[in-house]
Amino acid sequence: VGLEREQAERTASGESGAAENSSDVHSSIMSDDEDEDWPKPSVIVSMVFADDRPAAVSFPRTRVASYLRQLSLKLTVQYLAYVFDTWNDTTPALHDDMVAAYLGLVEENEGRDDEHELRRRLQLFLKTSHQYSPEKALARLPDDRLFEERALILSRLGRHEQALCLLVFSVADLALAEQYCVENLDNCANVFVLLLGILVSNPPTDIADNEAEQIRAEEVPKEPADDGKSADFLQRDLEAVRTRIHRRFAGHLLSKYHQNIPANSALRLLPLDMEFTHDLFVYLRGQLCALDQDMRASNVVRNLRIGEDFQARRQLQRLQSGYVVVSDTRTCPQCLKRIGSGTAFAVIPPSRTNPGDAPVVVHYSCWQRQKSAIKLSDAATSKLHAADDFGGHGVENEDGVSPSASETFAPAARVSLKWV
């Protein structure tokens, strides 16, 4: 009895120790602090899941990502980044999980030093990945922040005008809007025209106008409180400064990207009271030079086509000037029968060796039989030439040259017929 009691106590102590060890393992995995006995969680993920071993490759990646998401979003991002970079996984669900993990990390680190780096990595993923769902990613974004990420997702959906409105008024970064136009020029040819229209119009009412706060803090001078000036005056002053900044930047776009902004679209958008600056002069000069170049190129093409048409007419006239006379007494040299007016016939042009000879007129049926005979003769001649390679002798004419039936008989050239 004493031995059984002692064994039971040892078993209970062993189970409690194993439970304590398991809880220690879990706590060490959940924490990012260094420990003497356990490696970092990122090292564990690299050793177990993000590895080139067949077992790690065969793991169900969606379940692994879901398990790591319960532990830490950093581990999820680390695992999915390895899956995309190493194994080139294009599963849409995993790419959606990556966007959700990045957004969760950005929300957790709001206001911290890591937020800028996390947003940079999220923006890079939104630009490079083509497998995530833009609609799902757009639904996960908050309404009052992350406007740059929203603009990237809107560009993926083809809503470039909304994306540019966010960059101009919510992000308040005109240089970023210019960069957006350069990057999306292949997808939307009139993207600069859209930006130009936004710059010369009022901000929409359904988006956050952070540009006004920025202008109020930097450009509009602060008036003293006892000055007696109302808020309406300050608002008009703000709009005047905004208009001046936008029109100056619009002139910059017109002068730098004049080849991408058609004049018929730009001049229709520009306000009548816009100042004629040097940038506008450069734009109009570039448009006039491009128009003159197009007109010169069109004239060159027109003259080339006129020359080609003249050459084609001369060749047609030369071909139509040739004719053969078919009288009631003319006979076919193949069958020696008369060629009547109701009989189908063919015209054989002169041979290459004697181009000055007159064309030969034969019955169409005789021409068909002769053409069939030529094919049989060519086949026999090729067999004889093949026999010559083994010591045989080919067939030669009186001049000692093997005749080529395809040269002695060619299709008729286009000629006119004159009945006599």
Side-chain angles (χ1 to χ4, degrees):
V1 174
L3 292 176
E4 293 178 355
R5 183 179 300 173
E6 183 178 358
Q7 186 176 3
E9 292 177 356
R10 290 179 179 177
T11 303
S13 62
E15 291 177 354
S16 62
E20 293 177 358
N21 292 336
S22 177
S23 62
D24 293 339
V25 170
H26 186 267
S27 62
S28 63
I29 291 177
M30 290 295 294
S31 64
D32 292 338
D33 300 334
E34 294 184 359
D35 191 79
E36 297 179 356
D37 299 332
W38 294 98
K40 291 183 178 181
S42 59
V43 178
I44 297 178
V45 172
S46 300
M47 294 172 57
V48 178
F49 301 111
D51 192 79
D52 290 336
R53 294 174 302 168
V57 176
S58 61
F59 282 153
R61 297 168 188 174
T62 305
R63 295 179 59 185
V64 171
S66 177
Y67 170 73
L68 294 177
R69 193 185 309 113
Q70 298 175 2
L71 301 178
S72 173
L73 292 177
K74 289 184 178 180
L75 300 182
T76 306
V77 170
Q78 176 190 352
Y79 172 71
L80 291 178
Y82 184 86
V83 169
F84 299 151
D85 297 339
T86 306
W87 297 330
N88 298 323
D89 197 310
T90 58
T91 305
L94 294 179
H95 287 255
D96 292 336
D97 291 342
M98 188 67 156
V99 175
Y102 269 129
L103 290 175
L105 287 176
V106 171
E107 184 178 359
E108 290 178 359
N109 294 270
E110 182 179 358
R112 300 179 183 177
D113 297 336
D114 297 337
E115 182 184 7
H116 178 72
E117 177 62 21
L118 289 172
R119 289 190 62 182
R120 186 191 66 82
R121 293 168 60 182
L122 172 59
Q123 293 171 13
L124 180 62
F125 182 78
L126 292 176
K127 287 181 180 180
T128 56
S129 176
H130 296 274
Q131 306 301 326
Y132 68 91
S133 174
E135 292 81 3
K136 294 181 180 179
L138 194 63
R140 293 190 176 101
L141 291 176
D143 296 333
D144 56 345
R145 54 192 301 266
L146 302 183
F147 297 111
E148 297 179 27
E149 290 78 1
R150 183 180 293 273
L152 291 175
I153 298 175
L154 289 174
S155 69
R156 186 62 57 84
L157 293 173
R159 296 154 62 176
H160 299 285
E161 188 173 2
Q162 298 182 18
L164 289 172
C165 285
L166 288 175
L167 296 178
V168 172
F169 298 110
S170 299
V171 183
D173 193 341
L174 298 179
L176 189 60
E178 178 183 357
Q179 181 182 354
Y180 177 92
C181 293
V182 174
E183 294 177 352
N184 292 272
L185 186 59
D186 295 335
N187 300 327
C188 181
N190 63 333
V191 64
F192 280 103
V193 178
L194 295 177
L195 179 56
L196 185 64
I198 293 172
L199 292 174
V200 298
S201 60
N202 296 324
T205 58
D206 56 345
I207 64 174
D209 190 6
N210 296 328
E211 187 186 33
E213 300 297 332
Q214 180 179 351
I215 294 175
R216 186 177 289 110
E218 297 178 359
E219 299 291 340
V220 178
K222 295 183 179 180
E223 302 293 340
D226 55 350
D227 203 12
K229 295 183 179 180
S230 62
D232 295 337
F233 177 81
L234 295 178
Q235 183 65 25
R236 290 196 301 269
D237 199 3
L238 185 145
E239 293 299 331
V241 174
R242 191 210 298 265
T243 302
R244 185 174 68 252
I245 295 174
H246 283 189
R247 290 188 180 184
R248 187 187 307 124
F249 191 76
H252 161 72
L253 293 177
L254 290 172
S255 62
K256 187 175 181 179
Y257 304 101
H258 61 87
Q259 68 277 7
N260 299 317
I261 306 177
N264 55 351
S265 301
L267 297 179
R268 191 181 299 112
L269 293 173
L270 295 179
L272 298 178
D273 59 345
M274 186 170 181
E275 183 182 359
F276 188 80
T277 60
H278 178 71
D279 291 333
L280 191 57
F281 167 75
V282 172
Y283 170 74
L284 294 177
R285 183 182 61 183
Q287 291 294 317
L288 291 176
C289 291
L291 181 60
D292 181 70
Q293 184 178 1
D294 293 341
M295 291 181 61
R296 291 176 182 272
S298 300
N299 290 333
V300 170
V301 173
R302 176 176 174 273
N303 293 332
L304 289 176
R305 290 181 177 177
I306 290 176
E308 292 178 355
D309 182 71
F310 179 72
Q311 292 180 359
R313 288 178 181 275
R314 289 190 60 183
Q315 185 177 4
L316 179 62
Q317 184 180 4
R318 179 177 57 83
L319 294 175
Q320 290 179 346
S321 63
Y323 64 91
V324 292
V325 179
V326 180
S327 61
D328 294 337
T329 60
R330 188 158 189 168
T331 59
C332 174
Q334 298 292 332
C335 62
L336 302 179
K337 294 182 180 179
R338 187 174 62 87
I339 301 176
S341 59
T343 307
F345 60 90
V347 179
I348 303 174
S351 61
R352 297 179 181 178
T353 57
N354 298 317
D357 294 347
V360 180
V361 181
V362 297
H363 286 106
Y364 182 78
S365 58
C366 298
W367 175 67
Q368 290 287 343
R369 286 193 298 268
Q370 186 176 2
K371 187 168 65 172
S372 302
I374 287 174
K375 293 181 180 179
L376 295 176
S377 176
D378 287 341
T381 304
S382 61
K383 291 182 180 180
L384 291 175
H385 284 307
D388 289 341
D389 297 336
F390 295 96
H393 300 282
V395 178
E396 298 179 352
N397 56 12
E398 297 178 355
D399 297 333
V401 179
S402 298
S404 176
S406 61
E407 293 184 358
T408 58
F409 184 80
R414 179 175 178 179
V415 296
S416 299
L417 301 179
K418 184 177 294 187
W419 294 93
V420 179

